[in-house]
Amino acid sequence: TRFGNFVDNLRLYVRGGSGGMGLPRLGGHGGDGGDVWVVATQNMTLKRIKNKYPQKRFVGETGGNSSVRALKGQKGKDKEILAPVGITVTTDDGRKLGELNAEGDRVRVAKGGAGGSVHSAFEPSKGQTKHIRLDLKLIADVGLVGFPNAGKSSLLTAMSNATPQIGSYSFTTLKPEIGKLMYKDHKQISVADLPGLIEGAHINKGMGHKFLKHVERTKQLLFVVDVYGFQLASKTPFRSAFETVQLLTKELELYKEEFMSKSALLVVNKMDLPGAEDKLQELKENLEKPDQFSQMLPEDMIPRKNMIFKHVVPVSATTGFGIDHLKSCIRESLDEETAVETRAFHQERLQFKLVKYNC
């Protein structure tokens, strides 16, 4: 997997059940082996599958043998792998087996073997065996996380070469704005501006819950804060830039703690405002000793674990200051992650080959 705790892809071993024996004396037909299916279910995560089945092996039941009492052997039970909605199922070599876009969608990943019959000299056949991959469908490489007015939309426009497009996906009704970052070597990175998060989003205020649900469909997070802080409305308390970071972190943590291990960068926007440098310095000092400065926040707003940012990048979406540097930081962070993932994937394949060889 990719991010410490956060699991967005999983490799599993699946095998259909073997067929049951036929009965030559009476021409009896053995039962077929059970199939293996991946089934979309609400409130399931890939991490949960990984924790529940550390061996990551799923095998269909063997078909019943033909007997004098039951000439037609019973079919073996199917094995179901419960998986989250919004998943692509592929073979190890990348061939697509199917997609899970809605609750109840099913993809058969391994067929059970046929029971023994007159056509096979009453010998049963084995079930299909393969390695499959479950991949969480991503809406973008990077997701922008910030409260309203942090300037996410203008930042996305400043980074993208064209006006961001409204994305539409089969597995969700949320339509984020997607901007494409273009690089000199023609590499493209997609960035999603998900609808604004508000304090209390994990309790489902406004679009909160839907927003958080889609944070997991981006590889990395880009926190965006206003260098001068933030006030949602005249009745709500004013928050400094540091407090804003802590509140955003808390919202993610309360919704799903595994988000905390995603790679993240922090963008400090509106650096064109007078006195912004001093405010940035203050924020950096606070981030170095978060526990010391978090005491200013109410108890229930302090995250249990602080977000570790790979880069803290000051920018001005209005003047374009820092935008190129930000683009290269995003690229570097994603490239590092891809390299780690590729190494892990090859290591896993190698281990499997060694186990197979030694068996």
Side-chain angles (χ1 to χ4, degrees), residues 50-79:
K50 188 181 174 193
N51 292 347
K52 195 173 174 186
Y53 304 98
Q55 300 295 318
K56 298 188 283 191
R57 288 171 67 86
F58 298 87
V59 180
E61 193 180 59
T62 303
N65 294 334
S66 170
S67 65
V68 176
R69 254 179 274 128
L71 279 184
K72 175 79 176 98
Q74 205 173 352
K75 183 185 181 318
K77 275 200 195 106
D78 290 350
K79 181 75 179 167

Side-chain angles (χ1 to χ4, degrees), residues 82-93:
L82 301 181
V85 173
I87 288 277
T88 308
V89 186
T90 55
T91 59
D92 231 2
D93 52 8

Side-chain angles (χ1 to χ4, degrees), residues 297-332:
L297 281 168
E299 190 74 27
D300 60 350
M301 291 185 180
I302 302 170
R304 290 192 353 202
K305 205 169 136 199
N306 292 303
M307 204 82 191
I308 307 293
F309 296 106
K310 282 186 164 183
H311 302 277
V312 176
V313 191
V315 304
S316 163
T318 315
T319 66
F321 162 77
I323 297 294
D324 284 342
H325 178 54
L326 173 59
K327 283 171 72 171
S328 59
C329 288
I330 292 172
R331 168 95 188 246
E332 182 189 310

Side-chain angles (χ1 to χ4, degrees), residues 5-10 12 39-53 81-85 87 134 136 213 216-217 255-259:
N5 272 334
F6 190 80
V7 179
D8 76 345
N9 64 65
L10 209 50
L12 309 173
V39 184
T41 319
Q42 287 299 340
N43 304 321
M44 182 46 91
T45 66
L46 292 180
K47 183 173 165 60
R48 224 173 269 166
I49 300 174
K50 188 181 174 193
N51 292 347
K52 195 173 174 186
Y53 304 98
I81 305 168
L82 301 181
V85 173
I87 288 277
L134 304 183
L136 200 62
K213 206 166 150 186
E216 63 190 300
R217 299 201 179 269
Y255 178 70
K256 207 172 272 182
E257 211 163 330
E258 40 181 303
F259 283 177

Side-chain angles (χ1 to χ4, degrees), residues 39 101 124 131 168 174 183 283 285-286 311 346:
V39 184
N101 289 320
H131 272 95
S168 179
L174 196 74
Y183 292 84
L283 171 61
E285 283 166 19
N286 292 355
H311 302 277
H346 287 309

Side-chain angles (χ1 to χ4, degrees), residues 91-229:
T91 59
D92 231 2
D93 52 8
R95 190 167 53 82
K96 193 163 161 187
L97 297 173
E99 294 186 345
L100 307 177
N101 289 320
E103 191 175 4
D105 282 0
R106 309 164 62 81
V107 176
R108 184 166 64 185
V109 289
K111 195 173 178 341
S117 69
V118 66
H119 306 296
S120 64
F122 300 98
E123 287 296 320
S125 57
K126 288 194 164 118
Q128 286 179 332
T129 299
K130 55 177 87 122
H131 272 95
I132 60 164
R133 271 177 65 109
L134 304 183
D135 281 280
L136 200 62
K137 291 179 170 191
L138 296 178
I139 51 181
D141 297 311
V142 180
L144 299 181
V145 178
F147 288 128
N149 98 342
K152 299 198 311 300
S153 196
S154 45
L155 177 67
L156 190 60
T157 305
M159 288 195 291
S160 313
N161 290 25
T163 316
Q165 301 294 305
I166 301 293
S168 179
Y169 302 90
S170 50
F171 53 91
T172 170
T173 51
L174 196 74
K175 294 188 171 10
E177 274 202 310
I178 304 287
K180 286 264 192 281
L181 311 192
M182 314 287 273
Y183 292 84
K184 286 195 177 76
D185 60 355
H186 304 296
K187 166 128 176 131
Q188 291 189 17
I189 289 173
S190 54
V191 180
D193 176 16
L194 305 160
L197 192 55
I198 57 170
E199 273 184 45
H202 67 280
I203 315 167
N204 212 354
K205 285 186 187 162
M207 289 288 281
H209 215 68
K210 270 188 181 161
F211 163 84
L212 289 165
K213 206 166 150 186
H214 291 81
V215 170
E216 63 190 300
R217 299 201 179 269
T218 56
K219 286 185 195 172
Q220 299 199 348
L221 305 177
L222 202 60
F223 278 53
V224 186
V225 298
D226 179 331
V227 69
Y228 265 94

